[in-house]
């Protein structure tokens, strides 16, 4: 089969590799229908993350089950399935607490599994799925072509934006600032409005992203950053700042922006992988700012979000502004790296 | 009148000072019935906080209203009142959000008020109370002598422990670890049990404090610290750690202990004033640990806690293990500094 392999920073190729096999009775093999490139893939692509090379890559995919191991009962060949960006057994205590990302039987695509066995990345034709019963979520019927993009967002960006909103405690009627206008930030706007936020500010300096933020329900767009941006947020929100701030970047600047934008007693939901981000605990203490979030336990959210996606009540797949066939995967990375695309979808 | 004055680190005296006067129509004068020494007073006492000297000190007192300004209507001369450790108007948007500690008309005892006028500390015979209507909470009737200690804890330690539990999201049936066996930590044990926690671990190495923790409802005491302590916590809680951790110290070690003791997806409520405490954001991110809390907005909690105090359902005043007349205030500080007392109460 063909699968995406990162050979060195910015050297990404579609290679011929061995087809995956069922290795455990709990495995399934899925034929990928669509995959996509994540902002976090860019850290590897740019060489910021120290990866082994060559390395399989990609962790967002939907597809059709091709075969299943003897112990798999929840999915069957022919099922259309959504795969969260980490696999998990969905039965252990931590999964039952909703923290599937800490499942002791879980892991991430493209890295060795807990048996030390190689694991496929999501940007390829076939994927061996460990813990298939716990990991995969089926759709009630085969989706039409137009629905695939929306379902694909359920593997990562949409539930990650949702996690930011949930961790920040967004409720009906509250007000929200979203820091970050990447695919996750835009998804967080959508998620906050879906949860009933009365007013959502999207912080964005890019015309195309501002437009998508508004389409996703943002009530205001603030282009300014730093103290000026926080000042505008305070003006919009009673002179005190936002109840909830969704931090969707992970840099020092974005976290500072989030802290500045929250009102005393406000809560930050953070889902941007912290690279150089830090928090000033004494300042948080004095203002009673809370922070929660982390790597999004997507698996626990998919079933809750799926009905609104299938009904068309939300259209999270509009975040894809570039769709390419899998053999143009390098172009998909380049477009995101150069910020000419918000998010690239790969079709098979 | 006589009031406690810190003249230099560890030089604390009861001095003769001018009686306070009503300066604003929103002021009241309160005759103190009982006051106490706070762990945070020790930072000033020890010279760790850079205070001006001489400086008035103390921020926990209950008493009887002596006189009120023209605009005061909620309290009247003769009322027994509880004063939270910060005053606030209790009407502004931030107070209505429950963040009385960020009230723009608020402040702390012993420091100049927003008019630049000197403000009495709580460890004296009389206190001018700004924003008296918003600040003071009356009891339905004059309490008897034995009840005074319990009411006095409502000025700070008991609601501060309660704030840790609320910020950590303690609910009925959840499990909790309390880091810190000072008066606040012990109060946090009491608060967590009052909120219905199924199992509370008090981390304490001191026999007398362990005993009080058990009296306040702790189900387990863990004397070990660091990784060993966290290991014991995991053993007690399903091998994964605690749902909620209440951090009641504010040091680097105590915050690390809190982080280590929380399960993935757990929440830390922190009320220890952070001195050298910091958090490791990437580690929190990976484990989905949230942290919330800060300087406790005590004013918003007093009315909710008062009925259980008056009924005797909780006995938070048992945290006082040393009671002295005000003129022995120096002894009260020394005992807490040398850790021969958990918390000193001063009677007038």
């Amino acid at each position: 089969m063909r699968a995406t392999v990162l050979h060195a920073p910015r050297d990404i190729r579609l290679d011929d590799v061995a087809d995956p096999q069922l290795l455990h009775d709990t495995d399934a093999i899925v034929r990928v229908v669509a995959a996509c490139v994540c902002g976090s893939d860019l850290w590897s692509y740019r060489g910021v993350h120290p990866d082994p090379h060559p390395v399989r890559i990609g962790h967002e995919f939907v597809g059709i089950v091709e075969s299943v191991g003897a112990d798999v009962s929840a999915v069957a060949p022919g099922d259309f399935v959504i795969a969260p960006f980490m696999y998990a057994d969905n039965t252990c205590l931590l999964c039952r607490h909703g923290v599937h990302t800490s499942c002791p039987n879980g892991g991430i695509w493209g890295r060795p599994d807990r048996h030390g066995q190689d694991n496929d990345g999501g940007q390829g034709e076939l994927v061996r799925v460990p813990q298939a019963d716990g990991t995969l979520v089926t759709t009630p019927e085969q989706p039409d072509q137009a629905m695939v993009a929306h379902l694909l967002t359920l593997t990562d960006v949409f539930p990650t934006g949702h996690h930011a909103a949930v961790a920040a405690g967004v409720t009906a009627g509250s007000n929200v600032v979203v820091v970050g206008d990447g695919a996750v930030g835009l998804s967080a706007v959508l998620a906050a409005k879906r949860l009933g936020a009365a007013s959502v500010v999207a912080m964005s300096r890019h015309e195309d992203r501002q437009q998508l933020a508004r389409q996703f329900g943002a009530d205001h767009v603030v282009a300014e950053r730093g103290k000026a941006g926080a000042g505008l947020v305070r003006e919009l929100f009673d002179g005190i700042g936002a109840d909830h701030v969704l931090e969707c970047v992970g840099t020092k600047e974005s976290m500072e922006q989030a802290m500045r934008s929250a009102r005393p007693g406000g809560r930050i939901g953070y889902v941007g992988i912290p690279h150089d981000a830090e928090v000033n605990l004494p300042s948080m203490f004095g203002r009673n700012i809370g922070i929660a979030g982390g790597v999004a336990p997507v698996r626990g959210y998919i079933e809750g979000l799926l009905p609104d996606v299938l009904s068309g009540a939300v259209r999270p797949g509009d975040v894809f502004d570039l769709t390419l066939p899998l053999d143009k995967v390098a172009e998909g990375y380049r477009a995101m790296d150069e910020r000419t695309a918000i998010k690239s979808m790969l079709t098979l």
Side-chain angles (χ1 to χ4, degrees), chain A:
Chain A
M1 70 154 175
R2 298 173 307 154
T4 304
V5 178
L6 181 67
H7 287 266
R10 289 194 165 77
D11 178 4
I12 201 149
R13 307 179 208 163
L14 193 66
D15 288 352
D16 283 314
V17 302
D19 280 7
Q21 307 295 326
L22 294 170
L23 297 179
H24 304 282
D25 290 343
T26 48
D27 286 351
I29 304 291
V30 170
R31 180 163 293 278
V32 176
V33 168
C36 50
V37 182
C38 182
S40 67
D41 288 331
L42 293 183
W43 294 100
S44 294
Y45 178 77
R46 290 166 177 160
V48 178
H49 278 183
D51 293 292
H53 292 124
V55 66
R56 301 275 282 278
I57 195 166
H59 53 259
E60 298 160 297
F61 65 96
V62 294
I64 292 175
V65 176
E66 190 143 297
S67 58
V68 298
D71 289 347
V72 174
S73 60
V75 299
D79 284 350
F80 188 93
V81 288
I82 301 158
F85 72 78
M86 288 182 77
Y87 54 88
D89 64 24
N90 200 30
T91 55
C92 73
L93 188 56
L94 287 166
C95 285
R96 281 180 279 137
H97 275 306
V99 205
H100 297 74
T101 43
S102 294
C103 174
N105 294 317
I108 193 160
W109 311 108
R111 293 291 184 280
D113 68 15
R114 72 192 179 99
H115 304 284
Q117 283 155 334
D118 278 349
N119 196 307
D120 299 292
Q123 295 158 0
E125 289 176 328
L126 294 167
V127 176
R128 178 179 71 88
V129 176
Q131 303 293 336
D133 270 355
T135 301
L136 298 170
V137 178
T138 57
T139 54
E141 53 192 46
Q142 298 291 324
D144 63 27
Q145 183 63 28
M147 181 53 66
V148 169
H150 302 300
L151 295 173
L152 182 57
T153 67
L154 287 172
T155 64
D156 188 340
V157 279
F158 185 35
T160 294
H162 178 70
H163 185 51
V166 169
V170 172
T171 50
S174 60
N175 64 53
V176 177
V177 169
V178 178
V179 179
D181 63 359
V184 171
L186 293 163
S187 300
V189 170
L190 185 64
K193 290 304 287 190
R194 181 181 167 279
L195 289 169
S199 186
V200 174
V201 171
M203 303 197 85
S204 172
R205 296 193 291 193
H206 304 91
E207 176 61 35
D208 55 335
R209 293 164 191 242
Q210 291 177 354
Q211 194 179 324
L212 190 51
R214 288 192 189 278
Q215 185 184 321
F216 277 174
D219 301 279
H220 307 277
V221 169
V222 167
E224 287 77 0
R225 296 192 178 184
K227 286 184 182 171
L232 288 168
V233 165
R234 274 197 299 278
E235 272 180 39
L236 286 167
F237 294 143
D238 305 311
I240 58 174
D243 300 328
H244 313 285
V245 183
L246 315 187
E247 196 287 313
C248 303
V249 184
T251 62
K252 188 173 164 65
E253 292 70 26
S254 62
M255 188 57 84
E256 282 177 2
Q257 187 71 65
M259 288 286 170
R260 281 202 181 107
S261 302
R263 67 161 171 81
R267 190 67 53 103
I268 295 171
Y270 76 122
V271 291
I273 302 173
H275 283 90
D276 54 358
E278 52 191 39
V279 298
N280 180 329
L281 213 51
S283 163
M284 282 174 64
F285 185 88
R287 301 175 63 231
N288 268 282
I289 306 289
I291 179 168
V295 55
V298 161
R299 177 59 185 85
Y301 293 131
I302 296 177
E303 279 122 331
L305 297 171
L306 185 58
D308 279 357
V309 172
L310 289 173
S311 75
V314 290
R315 295 177 50 86
D318 291 347
V319 78
F320 295 111
D321 55 350
L322 180 64
T323 301
L324 296 165
L326 179 62
D327 59 12
K328 297 223 167 137
V329 60
E331 195 176 318
Y333 272 83
R334 196 164 50 243
M336 283 178 64
D337 182 38
E338 294 171 356
R339 292 177 74 87
T340 57
I342 298 172
K343 193 166 177 73
S344 306
M345 174 165 154
L346 305 166
T347 54
L348 286 95

